[in-house]
Amino acid sequence: MKILVCISNVPDTTTKVKFTDNNKQIDYAGVQWIINPWDELALTRAIELKEDSSNSFNEVCVINVGLSNCDATLRKALAIGADKAIRIDAEPLDAYFVAGQIADYLKNNPFDIVLSGIESSDYNGSSVGGMLSEFMDCPAISSMTKLDVENENIIIHRAIPGGKQILELKPPFVGIVQKGITNEPRIPAMRGIMMARKKPLDVVPAIELESLSHIVEFELPVAKVSCKMIDVDQLEELVDLLKSEAKVL
Amino acid sequence: MSVIAFAKNWEGKFKKSTFELVSYAKDLASRLNTETLILSIGEVDESELGKLAQYGADKIISAEDSRLNILSSRIYAEVISQVVNKEGASFVILSDNNSGKAISPRLSVKLKAGLAAAVLAVPKSLDPFVIQKRVFSGKAFAYVQIDSEKKILTLSKNSFGIVENSVSLNIERFTPELADDIFKIKVNSIENADDKVILADADIVVSAGRGMKAADNWQPVEDLASVLGAATACSRPVSDDGWRGHEEHVGQTGKVIAPNLYFAIGISGAIQHVAGVNRSKCIVAINTDPEAPIFSVADYGVVGDAMIVLPKLTEIIRSGE
């Protein structure tokens, strides 16, 4: 069985966000690019399943919609252990455009399970996985915190507020991955980096597809004026302020 | 032209966030000079449905079918799209919670409707339709223009507030047409944690970081949360080290929350953490390091050892009740 992991190329989470062109563009100068953290967890779990010989998962591919600046991130995914990378060569206009492109690729290149992170750390759309499942007309598991095989059945945990659902499902489906799916993301080893150079990174042309939305402008949050310091021996004052000034108690 | 909001129920009951959603839908409908329709899916009794009219639901549409009692994004998206098409609605609004996040992308594809996720305010302009949403988990905002004719929004919690706007009660039943073969997911069991306050719903959150020094030191954090009726949360290193579960992690790669009151205890305030909590109405920071960056985003600060400060604070609040 084959797993496809959708990869979003995002600025490192420590990036301080700045804008250019009259706040119309993000200033990417000096930004380090990474695999979106949830996509990295999904990829790690997919590779763990492939490495476990007691199940029938035998291939893991990664896919991205983006321009050639995404290749370094895809090479990292190959170094972590993916067998093949596919880049659909287009500017990712919005989530609908990205999901539509991947869905079109899947028509001729079917996979059993498609994984995507629950959101991307840049645009926070939380949309590509869900949209993809609708394009594919298959079930999707939102907030997936466990993906396992027991007696040839695929067992899934889905986080719900205050608990979890334990589900069983037959492929094909889309898994939308939340933290907990694996312990920690895998770091590429030197051998993996060497091998990644020889693995295929296919660049495929995009199809004609419209986007449904676009960003007009960015803005930064207003900074807090100042922090009122309370003496450690005057905690009654803190409680009073929370009640009478902030009105939150 | 109308506005439809999906009012999710939890075992037949609505939450405060549902009433905020209805209030927001009413406001948008007024701007557009149109009706506010509220769709409830699954079994909810009439007195509970009636609550939605207090916040301006011109018509409450109740889709009841025993197969709809467990939420499935695929099936719910199908039901919502049938109602949208029947009513000729142009806007669908959902809460930006687990279910809204799961349903809205499917609905976007079904209706070919542009989606703005996690919106924070009323629209900046109606034509073209431009609205503010968070990006980079709250480090910045973007103004998104939706170009399609139908539009979908998910509303961030605590971004609009609850506005009473009582209208006369009008409930309509709707029976969706559902093919049997879309009920594919087999739910083996559901496990609910104890009676802890759910982080996503909490008005007050007590959150602690590596400054607590060890997993065994969490009792004062739990005690403060308990006396306040608050949810507990933690910073990323704490969940990475397994001191607390991943579901408690707040920050850029964890949950993004916006409670009324957020306690950041022994949390230095790395940019990724602040991104996840900076929409809190009020932040209290407690830290031994007076230079910790968390103080630059807090409203109130205490420099001191949490193991001493927390029990005292808990006692003051308890005795003041």
Side-chain angles (χ1 to χ4, degrees), chain A:
Chain A
M1 289 208 287
K2 293 162 70 175
I3 304 178
L4 180 69
V5 184
C6 304
I7 300 284
S8 187
N9 183 42
V10 299
D12 182 87
T13 53
T14 57
T15 303
K16 199 164 180 214
V17 182
K18 291 177 293 185
F19 313 120
T20 140
D21 187 19
N22 245 343
N23 293 341
K24 286 187 168 52
Q25 302 284 333
I26 293 173
D27 181 359
Y28 289 125
V31 165
Q32 297 286 318
W33 294 88
I34 59 166
I35 301 174
N36 176 43
W38 290 276
D39 300 347
E40 197 177 26
L41 293 172
L43 174 61
T44 301
R45 184 62 196 143
I47 292 165
E48 287 167 0
L49 285 168
K50 188 187 80 167
E51 287 171 351
D52 179 352
S53 57
S54 70
N55 65 52
S56 58
F57 290 106
N58 53 12
E59 191 179 338
V60 175
C61 299
V62 292
I63 192 163
N64 163 267
V65 177
L67 301 175
S68 59
N69 62 313
C70 298
D71 287 352
T73 294
L74 288 172
R75 287 280 171 214
K76 189 185 168 197
L78 293 170
I80 290 171
D83 299 303
K84 177 178 150 180
I86 302 114
R87 178 167 63 78
I88 299 175
D89 194 23
E91 182 83 39
L93 299 174
D94 72 349
Y96 182 86
F97 178 87
V98 168
Q101 296 293 342
I102 297 173
D104 184 73
Y105 179 84
L106 285 165
K107 274 186 205 158
N108 298 316
N109 303 276
F111 280 79
D112 299 288
I113 297 179
V114 180
L115 300 179
S116 87
I118 193 161
E119 67 176 287
S120 65
S121 59
D122 52 1
Y123 293 112
N124 306 147
S126 310
S127 305
V128 169
M131 287 181 177
L132 195 50
S133 66
E134 190 61 35
F135 275 119
M136 293 165 66
D137 195 20
C138 73
I141 304 298
S142 52
S143 304
M144 188 166 81
T145 53
K146 185 175 178 172
L147 172 62
D148 232 327
V149 184
E150 285 169 23
N151 306 325
E152 295 178 17
N153 293 322
I154 294 176
I155 301 293
I156 288 162
H157 289 187
R158 165 159 63 191
I160 53 174
K164 65 184 172 204
Q165 287 177 344
I166 297 153
L167 313 166
E168 225 176 284
L169 188 57
K170 291 199 177 11
F173 63 84
V174 176
I176 301 169
V177 168
Q178 177 60 293
K179 283 192 87 174
I181 192 94
T182 185
N183 288 331
E184 50 188 290
R186 202 172 278 200
I187 297 160
M190 187 47 79
R191 185 160 171 272
I193 296 167
M194 300 298 284
M195 283 167 68
R197 291 184 191 160
K198 290 181 186 144
K199 289 180 180 172
L201 194 168
D202 292 355
V203 179
V204 302
I207 54 160
E208 276 287 318
L209 187 68
E210 66 200 291
S211 61
L212 302 178
S213 64
H214 67 276
I215 291 178
V216 194
E217 201 185 347
F218 293 98
E219 187 181 274
L220 287 177
V222 181
K224 287 240 160 106
V225 184
S226 67
C227 178
K228 210 176 257 186
M229 298 307 290
I230 315 288
D231 192 278
V232 69
D233 294 318
Q234 304 287 327
L235 293 171
E236 290 85 357
E237 191 192 339
L238 174 62
V239 175
D240 287 345
L241 287 168
L242 291 175
K243 282 181 179 160
S244 58
E245 190 178 70
K247 298 189 169 56
V248 288
L249 275 188

Side-chain angles (χ1 to χ4, degrees), chain B residues 17-33:
Chain B
S17 58
T18 319
F19 303 136
E20 182 180 27
L21 181 77
V22 177
S23 306
Y24 183 88
K26 179 69 177 179
D27 180 90
L28 179 63
S30 307
R31 285 165 198 271
L32 296 162
N33 267 323

Side-chain angles (χ1 to χ4, degrees), chain B residues 119-142:
Chain B
V119 303
L120 296 164
V122 296
K124 191 181 181 192
S125 73
L126 291 173
D127 190 17
F129 189 84
V130 176
I131 195 156
Q132 188 193 39
K133 75 175 292 270
R134 74 178 152 78
V135 288
F136 292 92
S137 310
K139 283 186 199 169
F141 304 126

